[in-house]
């Protein structure tokens, strides 16, 4: 079974600085997707960035980028120029890319990292 | 904000009671997945509905059941509520069979069981 681990329950960063959130995962599959989701307090969970396992190039979305190390099964999120609005709980998630009977495309989440941004 | 809505926003029930939570999927989506998120934890997959049938289930007992309607909206029903059922219940809609099936989450229903 696949697992996702986030070992940092809480992180803090100064506004305008850079912070990196860590995530490791375990799988025997070769085809999968990895995601970072942001869940602000009392607000909807939204997708921040995604990475397809077959792509060697690290995904980037504006101030958000990932460091995808497939062999090490590591998937960290870097937030540059942190803003007050980045304060939230961040979840790393895995989804199988295997198609077939019973594959729901369910997301497997880590425990989350609460990010505090200090003004 | 996504186009996924959930009702009610908050709910308080007593142990042993039954509860129904509702989810309206984003326009054009045909699949709804339900997740349970305990306080301070990551969401756990409960089950998924596609074409009005259960399409997969996580490690949840049968007292968790669901429905999907022809308009792709969905319900989550929980019978014989237990204290540990207190959690945020999230639904996510997606489009099965096209693209990458990215899931879009609703705001959740906060269920408290006393």
């Amino acid at each position: 079974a696949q697992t996702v681990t986030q070992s940092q329950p809480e992180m803090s960063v100064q506004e305008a600085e850079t912070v990196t959130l860590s995530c490791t995962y375990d799988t025997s599959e070769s085809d999968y997707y990895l995601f970072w989701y942001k869940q602000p307090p009392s607000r909807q969970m939204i997708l921040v960035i995604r990475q397809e396992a077959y792509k060697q190039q690290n995904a980037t979305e504006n101030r958000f980028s990932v460091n995808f190390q497939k062999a090490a099964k590591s998937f960290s999120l870097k937030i540059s120029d942190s803003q007050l609005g980045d304060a939230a709980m961040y979840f790393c998630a895995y989804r199988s890319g295997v198609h077939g009977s019973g594959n729901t495309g369910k997301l497997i989440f880590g425990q989350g990292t609460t990010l505090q941004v200090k003004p | 904000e996504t186009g996924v809505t959930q009702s009610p926003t908050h709910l308080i029930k007593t142990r042993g009671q039954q509860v129904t939570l509702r989810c309206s999927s984003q326009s054009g989506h045909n699949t709804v997945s339900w997740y349970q998120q305990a306080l301070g934890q990551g969401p756990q997959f409960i089950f998924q509905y596609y074409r009005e049938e259960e399409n997969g289930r996580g490690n949840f007992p049968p007292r968790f059941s669901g429905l999907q309607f022809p308009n792709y909206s969905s319900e989550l029903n929980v019978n014989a509520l237990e204290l540990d059922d207190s959690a945020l219940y999230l639904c996510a809609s997606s489009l099965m069979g096209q693209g990458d099936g990215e899931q879009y989450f609703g705001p959740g229903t906060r269920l408290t069981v006393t």
Side-chain angles (χ1 to χ4, degrees), chain B:
Chain B
E1 301 290 327
T2 71
V4 182
T5 61
Q6 292 184 245
S7 63
T9 304
H10 296 88
L11 203 53
I12 300 174
K13 290 287 189 178
T14 302
R15 190 172 50 185
Q17 287 187 317
Q18 179 266 343
V19 69
T20 296
L21 310 182
R22 295 176 175 84
C23 173
S24 291
S25 59
Q26 184 165 305
S27 177
H29 285 180
N30 57 14
T31 303
V32 174
S33 302
W34 286 91
Y35 294 83
Q36 181 195 65
Q37 185 179 13
L39 193 63
Q41 300 295 315
Q44 299 288 320
F45 175 74
I46 302 174
F47 46 54
Q48 182 183 86
Y49 276 82
Y50 170 59
R51 291 184 175 177
E52 302 179 49
E53 291 192 359
E54 188 179 290
N55 186 49
R57 188 177 188 92
N59 189 27
F60 281 82
R63 60 189 183 83
F64 285 77
S65 63
L67 286 171
Q68 187 180 33
F69 300 98
N71 67 354
Y72 304 121
S73 66
S74 177
E75 288 183 354
L76 164 65
N77 300 289
V78 187
N79 294 321
L81 283 167
E82 300 178 359
L83 296 179
D84 285 348
D85 295 334
S86 295
L88 180 68
Y89 288 85
L90 299 169
C91 77
S93 76
S94 57
L95 180 61
M96 182 82 78
Q98 289 189 25
D100 59 13
E102 182 176 324
Q103 296 187 22
Y104 293 82
F105 285 85
T109 293
R110 173 73 64 189
L111 173 64
T112 301
V113 182
T114 63

Side-chain angles (χ1 to χ4, degrees), chain A:
Chain A
Q2 296 83 23
T3 59
V4 177
T5 303
Q6 293 178 251
S7 58
Q8 305 157 316
E10 296 181 358
M11 293 284 284
S12 66
V13 63
Q14 207 70 32
E15 194 176 6
E17 297 293 310
T18 296
V19 65
T20 298
L21 308 184
S22 301
C23 172
T24 58
Y25 61 96
D26 191 26
T27 183
S28 59
E29 297 176 333
S30 58
D31 183 14
Y32 54 88
Y33 301 85
L34 295 166
F35 306 85
W36 279 98
Y37 280 88
K38 171 185 178 181
Q39 188 177 42
S42 301
R43 292 186 61 189
Q44 285 173 260
M45 188 174 302
I46 59 172
L47 179 65
V48 174
I49 197 165
R50 57 176 281 161
Q51 175 81 43
E52 292 89 342
Y54 65 86
K55 290 186 177 179
Q56 293 187 343
Q57 186 172 7
N58 289 325
T60 299
E61 287 288 343
N62 301 315
R63 298 183 296 107
F64 299 87
S65 62
V66 298
N67 183 4
F68 174 47
Q69 300 291 324
K70 191 171 183 177
K73 295 180 181 174
S74 171
F75 183 61
S76 60
L77 174 69
K78 185 171 82 170
I79 306 175
S80 304
D81 186 25
S82 296
Q83 300 176 0
L84 295 178
D86 295 334
M89 196 157 191
Y90 286 81
F91 292 98
C92 177
Y94 172 101
R95 194 183 87 207
S96 173
V98 176
H99 297 282
S101 175
N103 176 31
T104 62
K106 69 179 181 184
L107 292 165
I108 300 170
F109 287 88
Q111 305 92 318
T113 297
T114 300
L115 178 65
Q116 181 185 23
V117 181
K118 299 178 181 178

